[in-house]
Amino acid sequence: MKIVVSVGGSVAVPSIDSARVAAYAGMFEELVAAGHDLGVVVGGGPTARRYIEAGRDLGANEIELDQLGIGATRLNARLLAGALGDRATSSPPSDHDAAREAMRRGSIPVMGGTAPGHTTDAVATALAEHTGADLLVFATSVAGVYDGDPDEDTTATRFDELTPKELIEVIADIEMTAGSNAPVDLLAAKLLQRSGLRAVVVDGTDPDAVARAVEGAHDGTDIAPER
Ligand code: UTP
């Protein structure tokens, strides 16, 4: 299968140490060994958030804050690419053509962010669309898409399955400032709607959840196109 994985920085690099990055690299190597073609996009996590907070205190505008976030995502992408060694691109591709070319050569493109105004979820969704991926996995810090914020509302329940249209309704009211928190960003959901891609949102604190999603045995949220 051709698979694109959007890995939240808060799950791939929750703090700057090697353990989780190595676990992710090991899981990706197993997917490649099983014959899958892989593209990976890494988020900025707490590093992005801290830069964005400091920039906001200093009076930076939202585009400048997005650029700080992009810098952090690309730093995390370099860390993961380093762990993958020769299997991965040596620097994060800055556009989708370069990432697609890398996949065609049998290399794993490890991208970060690209341009202001969205998050790495949208970058990954566009990569999945551009490469005709069979599956897009969002590995996030929550175990799927909920009808509320599970960190703040104990009664929030997880959806087993949503159409892209339903996903858009769930996330439409979440604010879109730099560093904001949504299970999947709105542009990504819109791209999912037009592309007909199959996607899954899983808890990425355990990298094996991504492997289980590839096997179709996950307990997150399926985003399936309308039939
Ligand atoms: P992330 O992609 O890491 O956001 O981008 P996220 O998914 O909410 O966070 P984690 O990684 O799962 O914890 C961080 C910030 O960087 C900017 C945005 O401000 C975003 O909120 N960004 C990122 C862009 O502007 N463009 C991009 O392509 C990527």
Side-chain angles (χ1 to χ4, degrees), residues 57-59 62 79 84 99 108 130 134 142 160 163 169 180 206-207 213 217 219:
D57 288 346
L58 293 166
E62 288 296 319
L79 196 60
L84 287 163
I108 307 173
H130 200 33
D134 302 294
V142 280
D160 289 335
T163 63
E169 281 160 15
S180 78
D206 173 11
D219 53 8

Side-chain angles (χ1 to χ4, degrees), residues 133-225:
D134 302 294
L135 180 68
L136 169 61
V137 182
F138 295 103
T140 72
S141 53
V142 280
V145 182
Y146 286 71
D147 61 1
D149 182 347
D151 290 336
E152 286 174 12
D153 176 2
T154 51
T155 65
T157 47
R158 188 173 63 217
F159 297 102
D160 289 335
E161 189 174 322
L162 288 170
T163 63
K165 187 166 179 278
E166 290 166 336
L167 175 65
I168 290 165
E169 281 160 15
V170 172
I171 62 180
D173 291 335
I174 300 175
E175 64 169 15
M176 240 198 84
T177 48
S180 78
N181 245 329
V184 174
D185 89 15
L186 192 56
L187 178 59
K190 285 289 212 181
L191 293 175
L192 279 177
Q193 189 178 31
R194 78 173 188 187
S195 64
L197 284 164
R198 197 161 65 85
V200 183
V201 183
V202 295
D203 178 358
T205 50
D206 173 11
D208 284 337
V210 175
R212 287 196 295 277
V214 170
E215 287 157 13
H218 66 89
D219 53 8
T221 301
D222 276 303
I223 317 290

Side-chain angles (χ1 to χ4, degrees), residues 112-128:
T114 52
H118 51 72
T119 74
T120 46
D121 289 340
V123 176
T125 309
L127 181 61

Side-chain angles (χ1 to χ4, degrees), residues 6-12 41-49 52 56 62-73 76 112-123 139-141 176-185:
S6 176
V7 196
S10 47
V11 296
V41 185
V42 188
T47 308
R49 245 163 232 126
I52 288 168
R56 191 167 273 132
E62 288 296 319
I63 298 294
E64 290 167 332
L65 297 177
D66 282 344
Q67 282 160 340
L68 285 172
I70 292 168
T73 64
N76 284 345
T114 52
H118 51 72
T119 74
T120 46
D121 289 340
V123 176
T140 72
S141 53
M176 240 198 84
T177 48
S180 78
N181 245 329
V184 174
D185 89 15

